[in-house]
Amino acid sequence: MNSLNLNRLTIKRALELLDEGKISSVELTQACLERIKKIDPEVKAYLYVNEEWALEQARLADEKRKAGEHGKLLGIPLAIKDNILIKGHPTTCASKILQNYIAPYDATVIRKLKKEGAVFLGKTNLDEFAMGSSTENSAFFPTKNPWDLERVPGGSSGGSAVAVACRMGLGALGSDTGGSIRQPACFCGVVGMKPTYSLVSRFGLVAFASSLDQIGPFALNIEDTALLLKVISGHDPYDSTSAPREVPSFTQILQENANTKFRVGIPKEYFEHELHPEVAKNIEEMISLLKRLGHEVKEVSLPHTKYAISVYYIIAPAEAASNLARYDGVKYGLRVEGKSLIEMYKKSRAEGFGREVKRRVMLGTYALSAGYYDAFYLKASKVRTLIKQDFLKAFEEVDLILTPVSPTPAFKLGEKTSDPLQMYLSDIFTIPVNLAGLPGLSLPSGFTRESLPLGVQVIGPHFRDDLVLSLGYQIEKELDLETIPPIVKAL
Ligand code: GLN
């Protein structure tokens, strides 16, 4: 067992070792649990770890393998963001209002992972109800960046990104409404993918902004990401927005496209934004790399980019205010008694929700209120269409688009908490992708002088998740980066 080097163990490699009988899922799961005991007190990625449950699933996976079963993820330990339901286990959304909530059913993605034999280690920390970009909005505690414990891991899926970066799980699921998978992946030096809207069912994902939310994978490399994505994708009658179409084998396509040359667009408006000098330098290096690999790189224009944040902060809070109306002290979670029904509602919500959630509910309620709907929500929806059309037009000329993931590397804990607008602005490169419903991939692309991870985003046309992953695969191979955080190396 000591020969098992968790630091370099991908899902693909673990599956080989399991199939060859060199390791068991129990050993692998145990190794992850030991890692969690050692490192998680420092980084605080997990809200919930259940050893007994994890080992029981691992034992079952080992039995199945012995019986000749071959699930695509049989015996692989994963971490799940705590806004995705796993039957019989807590789902808190990092909110006091759901502190004692136990999920009564499995999310579709969980059902699919179970079918392929995955092992769940626990649930990971997030910004409350996935509202934030730093995981500091968790009602319980902030998660820390394993590359520098004074910095944020990004958010809202910060816990899942850190779990994978620290090898406290071989892969993870997160959710992405405006960048919540891609930005933490970038800040933590792992791969994260937001699939095309409707590729992955959201049944059993606690709703934040339903026209934007997508579930997606985190992993150490593109192949693992492609494998996880394949497993969780596909039509689901329980989610009316899920697309009734065949899902290709992404891992196979990676190999087929290993030398395919693409036309790659660089959106000029993304460079009008203030970029951290090392982010700017890194993206220039990535452009040179693409040219060196023989891809055709050209400038494209996404002229409505400048409205993306404003549009998002009308649409997302409006949908959030509607979705969060269900937390009323009656149906779910926290209930604080009052003298009347109204007082009970008020008290439950006042005590149950944190500041950022309340801010969003107020923004959204205002934007949807009588007389304001046309001026705000309807107008934002129209501008959203223009943003989407910008992309569709660009994709007439190019196959894929390359951008930075975030204008800066991981920022300091507390640096942006007193100024919500500064926090919102950090999502400028990821939000347009959700507004347009496109697939977006974040992959490690280098380091700053201070050894903080940098990342690059690949955006593709609707349902071309395969192409997005294919270009990512080529970049990853060429860069061949070592992405093991110092705190993990020191073990
Ligand atoms: N940071 C964005 C927000 O606060 C996006 C969050 C997300 O993708 N869930 O809404």
Side-chain angles (χ1 to χ4, degrees):
M1 189 55 200
N2 288 334
S3 62
L4 182 62
N5 185 352
L6 215 47
N7 290 357
R8 294 181 196 282
L9 196 64
T10 60
I11 295 177
K12 189 180 170 206
R13 183 71 192 126
L15 285 168
E16 285 165 7
L17 294 172
L18 286 163
D19 283 340
E20 289 163 11
K22 297 215 169 99
I23 56 169
S24 68
S25 174
V26 168
E27 285 171 327
L28 184 56
T29 304
Q30 196 101 56
C32 288
L33 291 168
E34 273 163 29
R35 178 62 65 91
I36 291 170
K37 272 198 200 122
K38 271 196 204 128
I39 293 192
D40 205 47
E42 309 276 337
V43 292
K44 294 176 164 289
Y46 280 92
L47 286 173
Y48 171 77
V49 178
N50 187 328
E51 276 197 46
E52 213 178 297
W53 173 49
L55 290 169
E56 182 52 39
Q57 298 169 74
R59 263 192 293 278
L60 200 69
D62 285 335
E63 275 170 28
K64 283 188 177 167
R65 183 168 262 105
K66 273 199 196 111
E69 278 187 46
H70 282 287
K72 287 197 185 75
L73 293 166
L74 189 56
I76 300 296
L78 302 176
I80 305 293
K81 186 177 183 179
D82 202 22
N83 60 352
I84 298 174
L85 309 192
I86 308 182
K87 187 178 176 174
H89 296 274
T91 297
T92 68
C93 292
S95 179
K96 279 198 207 144
I97 216 155
L98 287 177
Q99 194 160 10
N100 299 313
Y101 180 72
I102 303 291
Y105 61 91
D106 279 332
T108 295
V109 290
I110 296 299
R111 193 171 48 73
K112 285 174 181 274
L113 289 171
K114 281 185 175 173
K115 191 162 160 254
E116 297 299 339
V119 170
F120 303 113
L121 294 161
K123 310 289 297 289
T124 55
N125 201 13
L126 62 152
D127 287 297
E128 185 175 0
F129 283 101
M131 297 172 189
S133 308
S134 69
T135 316
E136 290 166 296
N137 293 338
S138 165
F140 306 121
F141 43 77
T143 297
K144 296 181 182 165
N145 190 311
W147 295 87
D148 176 350
L149 297 177
E150 284 178 10
R151 290 180 190 267
V152 302
S156 64
S157 318
S160 286
V162 173
V164 174
C166 292
R167 281 68 173 170
M168 300 188 295
L170 270 61
L173 292 189
S175 65
D176 190 313
T177 305
S180 276
I181 293 175
R182 290 159 288 159
Q183 183 250 27
C186 167
F187 283 8
C188 295
V190 298
V191 179
M193 168 111 179
K194 183 202 91 73
T196 298
Y197 185 79
S198 83
L199 186 70
V200 178
S201 165
R202 288 97 46 83
F203 179 72
L205 167 71
V206 178
F208 163 11
S210 305
S211 75
L212 300 158
D213 298 338
Q214 267 293 281
I215 295 175
F218 285 93
L220 287 180
N221 67 15
I222 301 284
E223 274 192 309
D224 285 1
T225 305
L227 173 61
L228 289 171
L229 182 60
K230 167 72 182 166
V231 170
I232 61 173
S233 299
H235 180 241
D236 177 13
Y238 290 129
D239 177 354
S240 60
T241 65
S242 96
R245 41 195 295 155
E246 278 298 304
V247 181
S249 164
F250 296 118
T251 32
Q252 194 184 323
I253 294 176
L254 295 184
Q255 306 306 334
E256 288 166 11
N257 281 336
N259 295 305
T260 306
K261 308 298 174 209
F262 296 109
R263 295 169 303 165
V264 184
I266 311 293
K268 68 168 193 267
E269 290 78 7
Y270 282 41
F271 294 84
E272 286 159 9
H273 196 87
E274 204 178 306
L275 279 181
H276 185 282
E278 293 193 78
V279 173
K281 185 166 156 269
N282 183 258
I283 192 81
E284 289 304 332
E285 285 166 9
M286 289 305 112
I287 292 171
S288 308
L289 179 145
L290 290 182
K291 289 182 181 160
R292 202 164 65 236
L293 288 174
H295 300 288
E296 183 190 332
V297 180
K298 61 172 164 185
E299 192 177 273
V300 291
S301 177
L302 302 170
H304 296 92
T305 301
K306 56 179 174 291
Y307 305 117
I309 302 254
S310 317
V311 164
Y312 176 88
Y313 278 98
I314 299 288
I315 292 178
E319 295 182 11
S322 314
N323 277 325
L324 269 58
R326 72 190 69 171
Y327 305 102
D328 57 5
V330 179
K331 302 184 199 72
Y332 307 92
L334 184 76
R335 177 190 182 98
V336 182
E337 296 299 344
K339 285 195 214 77
S340 65
L341 181 66
I342 297 293
E343 198 182 298
M344 186 281 288
Y345 286 160
K346 282 186 179 166
K347 281 189 165 174
S348 300
R349 289 170 69 85
E351 285 187 29
F353 289 144
R355 286 174 66 87
E356 185 60 30
V357 174
K358 285 179 186 155
R359 184 179 293 124
R360 306 277 175 119
V361 169
M362 283 191 278
L363 274 172
T365 307
Y366 182 80
L368 290 178
S369 51
Y372 291 110
Y373 179 89
D374 287 358
F376 294 112
Y377 191 80
L378 194 65
K379 190 141 181 203
S381 301
K382 287 180 179 168
V383 181
R384 178 180 188 174
T385 303
L386 295 176
I387 290 170
K388 183 172 162 189
Q389 280 167 355
D390 282 353
F391 279 105
L392 297 184
K393 224 164 139 204
F395 285 128
E396 287 171 10
E397 286 175 51
V398 294
D399 305 305
L400 294 162
I401 289 173
L402 188 88
T403 77
V405 180
S406 166
T408 65
F411 44 88
K412 291 255 167 79
L413 284 151
E415 191 178 320
K416 301 193 187 205
T417 36
S418 57
D419 186 349
L421 198 58
Q422 276 311 310
M423 191 73 90
Y424 297 172
L425 288 172
S426 66
D427 295 331
I428 178 68
F429 302 139
T430 48
I431 277 178
V433 179
N434 300 74
L435 290 171
L438 301 167
L441 170 75
S442 165
L443 78 149
S445 58
F447 294 93
T448 65
R449 273 183 311 242
E450 287 177 286
S451 296
L452 295 174
L454 292 166
V456 76
Q457 175 174 232
V458 183
I459 306 168
H462 293 111
F463 297 107
R464 294 323 303 264
D465 304 65
D466 59 336
L467 295 188
V468 165
L469 287 161
S470 297
L471 184 62
Y473 189 56
Q474 290 189 22
I475 297 173
E476 177 186 85
K477 260 197 172 156
E478 189 64 20
L479 287 175
D480 194 23
L481 293 174
E482 177 172 276
T483 50
I484 307 174
I487 186 174
V488 172
K489 262 193 168 164
L491 274 187

